[in-house]
Amino acid sequence: METNPAAPFRDRIGATMPATIIALPEHGAAVSALSDFLVSGLALTDEDRATAREGDRVHIRICAVDLGTEPGTHRVTVATP
């Protein structure tokens, strides 16, 4: 049985942690890696987006965790601190 990749974050709601920007699409949220197995969308201000680059380390705040019941339904909602 595979471990739910969101599970380690369930006790960290409200905490800040580092993440790595792995994609900066032209429109929409940046994509940040929270772990080797979990990514999350990250809304950036226009000012932050102008200077952000793939590979940058950023600090994020864990807002909510949904462990889901089916594969692929687990979610970790994040925001900038």
Side-chain angles (χ1 to χ4, degrees):
M1 183 170 189
E2 292 183 28
T3 302
N4 186 323
F9 300 95
R10 71 177 160 226
D11 296 326
R12 300 189 68 191
I13 294 174
T16 59
M17 62 174 281
T20 302
I21 294 176
I22 58 172
L24 280 164
E26 188 174 329
H27 301 287
V31 179
S32 59
L34 304 179
S35 71
D36 290 341
F37 305 104
L38 189 66
V39 299
S40 185
L42 178 63
L44 297 176
T45 65
D46 289 340
E47 183 179 327
D48 288 340
R49 182 177 278 282
T51 59
R53 301 288 177 258
E54 288 181 16
D56 283 357
R57 297 287 285 171
V58 295
H59 280 86
I60 53 94
R61 180 175 40 86
I62 306 296
C63 298
V65 176
D66 179 355
L67 297 180
T69 56
E70 300 293 325
T73 63
H74 35 265
R75 305 272 187 272
V76 176
T77 304
V78 302
T80 53

